[in-house]
Amino acid sequence: FSHTLRIPRPDAKDQQKIIKELQQLSKELLELYQKSEKGLPESTKYTLPCLTSDPHPPNNINSSAILAYFQEIRRHIDNKGVTDEIIGQLKKLKSQDTWKIKVSVPTESFECKCFVLTILQQFSKCMDQVNEPQRPKGQLR
Amino acid sequence: SEPLPLTPESLKVSINSTCQCLNLQWSVHNLPYHQELQIIVQIQISRIKTSNVVWVGNYSTTVKRNQVLHWSWESELPLECATHFVRIRSVMDDAKFPELKSWSKWSSWEEVDVQDSLGHDTFFLFPKDKLVEEGSNVTFCYISRSNQNNISCYLEGIQVHVEQLAPNVSTFHLSRVPFVRPKGTNIFCDVTQGEDPKGTILYVSKVLEELKDFSCETRDLKTLNCTWDPGSDTALEIQPSQSYTLFESFSQKKKVCKHRNWCTWQVSQDSQEMYHFTLMAENYLRKRTVHLVFKLTHRVRPMTPLNFFLENINSTNATMTWKVHPIGNSTFLCQVELHHDGQIIQQNKVFMEMNGKYLLSEMEPDTHYLARVRCAYGNHFWKWSEWIGRKFTTLEAAPLAAL
């Protein structure tokens, strides 16, 4: 007999706070990584599936996909503290019944670094975009 | 007489890409004498074409009939980036045959080319994820199979000077590379506009330092505790921290140490007196060793004394008592001190066995003092133990008899 504990999702106000927090954390982690890995080029080959087709926050954030990416790149990032905070917040946003997606990180060391940098950059841009003041139609750019 | 036919035969050349080494193997068949002969082998290595000799060297060795000889050469250029050619010849160098001093014929050129086995990509950068020590010189090369010509390469984001080696091969050279980070130094080349750069990581390890302050001591003649100054940690993403191993020559025993700067060693029951330790530090690139020879009983540092008490305290005197952890049936030399206002006002040494006792006298009434003691091994002084002590106050002076 197994009983899955259903963690209640935060209410709208808390979700907004989490999304704001994620914006800050994503910026901080990107800066830390860029500082620690100087001269690393961004890659055009990889895309973080950051947004869903649902225009309404917070469902517009594909938190389960982002979570899967962060759980994979965690071991390649020295700054575990900020990374774990992001993972923690994403877990709060994530709805229970989403499938866990499979993320494959490049095994080749230079490629792997570029992949991590790209994911962090795209996540930071995405959080900026999501936190932009709502447009009249609530459409994201 | 006819020169001895020492022409090397069945020369085979293989590549070890990681160490950028050409491994040679050959033999000399028709040696008429069933003995071991001293010969000199001359090796010529060319690059791109046989006429472009990049290295010549001699190798002295002994050889027996049909013996297979081995020799290795490390290339500064990654071997993937150019075809290499090797040929060898040899000459007798044996006092038994002073007259036979002419070189054999050269073997035929052996060609080594790995570019065909590289796969179908259009661009390759070598070496891949190489591990070197800080201060090394490293030559990089790239092979570009499509005719892009304005390829630019970067070290940590700063463009480097590239030189052409062959129509589709270019090189760049890094001198005295510094340690940058455990995750390695970033090197990449922009090949095609709009496409991802191609890159690799150069793992630069700090140099494994000489081991300093290697010392061992025991507190109980049962366990030796060895300590040393390890210097900087040479760990990288692809190289664990250096390992430390203790080896004791007399017992031929060895122990891999768990800590970076200390290790314990169980004193053997067969009352071994002399110890010759070799401490070896090792990482993927280097080994360091340091030696220490000592007599066990010359390295005894007693544990801190215990049961320290102050008895019969009056206005001018007090008695200190304490115990020491026994070590065999040794005596102990103990040093006692009396402090007042941070100044040592009395200091003395006493010999004792298990139980210590000392009379403090000529103190001032109603005054604060600190009394402490430490001990050393009586048979042979090595180091003092730590101190143990107490603060106390002498009693007020007894009132003089009524006048």
Side-chain angles (χ1 to χ4, degrees), chain A residues 10 12 38-39 41 70 81 111 113 127:
Chain A
K38 232 175 63 185
F70 268 83
E111 197 80 21
K113 285 189 179 184
M127 285 300 104

Side-chain angles (χ1 to χ4, degrees), chain B residues 130-236:
Chain B
K130 190 172 180 68
L131 172 61
V132 297
E133 263 187 350
E134 190 169 31
S136 305
N137 300 328
V138 186
T139 299
F140 280 82
C141 58
Y142 64 74
I143 302 166
S144 167
R145 285 180 173 159
S146 52
N147 36 33
Q148 300 106 328
N149 33 39
N150 51 354
I151 293 174
S152 46
C153 296
Y154 301 83
L155 162 68
E156 289 284 304
I158 298 164
Q159 191 160 0
V160 292
H161 171 66
V162 173
E163 287 171 7
Q164 187 153 20
L165 181 69
N168 65 334
V169 179
S170 294
T171 67
F172 53 93
H173 187 75
L174 307 183
S175 303
R176 293 182 306 283
V177 291
F179 166 82
V180 172
R181 63 179 79 82
K183 282 185 160 41
T185 303
N186 301 321
I187 290 150
F188 66 88
C189 298
D190 268 334
V191 183
T192 316
Q193 192 72 28
E195 265 191 29
D196 274 9
K198 299 280 198 274
T200 187
I201 306 289
L202 177 65
Y203 290 97
V204 182
S205 164
K206 289 179 183 168
V207 177
L208 183 58
E209 292 171 49
E210 293 282 0
L211 291 158
K212 297 188 284 287
D213 311 334
F214 178 38
S215 176
C216 298
E217 66 185 24
T218 177
R219 311 218 67 177
D220 53 15
L221 289 178
K222 294 183 182 108
T223 303
L224 272 161
N225 191 23
C226 296
T227 56
W228 60 87
D229 176 356
S232 38
D233 186 350
T234 63
L236 294 170

Side-chain angles (χ1 to χ4, degrees), chain A residues 85-116:
Chain A
E85 274 188 76
I86 289 175
I87 288 173
Q89 298 291 35
L90 287 169
K91 279 180 177 171
K92 291 177 192 168
L93 282 186
K94 170 173 115 65
S95 58
Q96 293 297 306
D97 33 32
T98 47
W99 289 97
K100 176 159 188 188
I101 71 166
K102 177 106 180 57
V103 175
S104 55
V105 178
T107 52
E108 206 265 327
S109 44
F110 179 80
E111 197 80 21
C112 174
K113 285 189 179 184
C114 295
F115 174 82
V116 171

Side-chain angles (χ1 to χ4, degrees), chain B residues 86-97:
Chain B
V86 181
R87 70 177 181 177
I88 56 177
R89 64 179 178 175
S90 42
V91 64
M92 187 73 81
D93 183 36
D94 204 302
K96 298 193 283 295
F97 306 97

Side-chain angles (χ1 to χ4, degrees), chain B residues 240-351:
Chain B
S241 291
Q242 58 267 34
S243 66
Y244 294 93
T245 306
L246 264 183
F247 175 75
E248 204 287 309
S249 309
F250 297 119
S251 60
Q252 289 287 298
K253 286 182 183 157
K254 180 169 107 166
K255 176 177 181 179
V256 176
C257 301
K258 289 201 265 313
H259 305 279
R260 288 199 60 230
N261 59 339
W262 65 272
C263 202
T264 58
W265 182 276
Q266 288 315 305
V267 171
S268 54
Q269 299 313 313
D270 59 7
S271 58
Q272 175 181 338
E273 262 209 36
M274 288 304 298
Y275 283 80
H276 176 187
F277 277 115
T278 301
L279 174 67
M280 183 176 70
E282 188 175 7
N283 64 12
Y284 287 165
L285 296 165
R286 192 184 283 266
K287 275 187 185 142
R288 299 282 193 190
T289 57
V290 66
H291 298 274
L292 187 64
V293 183
F294 59 88
K295 195 173 179 185
L296 182 62
T297 51
H298 286 190
R299 287 290 185 283
V300 178
R301 179 188 189 199
M303 282 185 266
T304 313
L306 66 163
N307 296 357
F308 179 91
F309 298 108
L310 283 158
E311 297 159 351
N312 312 328
I313 301 173
N314 61 31
S315 59
T316 58
N317 292 1
T319 303
M320 292 165 60
T321 63
W322 66 93
K323 285 185 185 303
V324 288
H325 296 272
I327 302 177
N329 38 36
S330 169
T331 59
F332 294 88
L333 167 70
C334 292
Q335 182 180 46
V336 296
E337 279 185 357
L338 182 66
H339 292 223
H340 173 59
D341 273 354
Q343 302 291 319
I344 302 174
I345 53 171
Q346 284 184 30
Q347 188 179 60
N348 218 325
K349 291 193 175 76
V350 290
F351 268 96

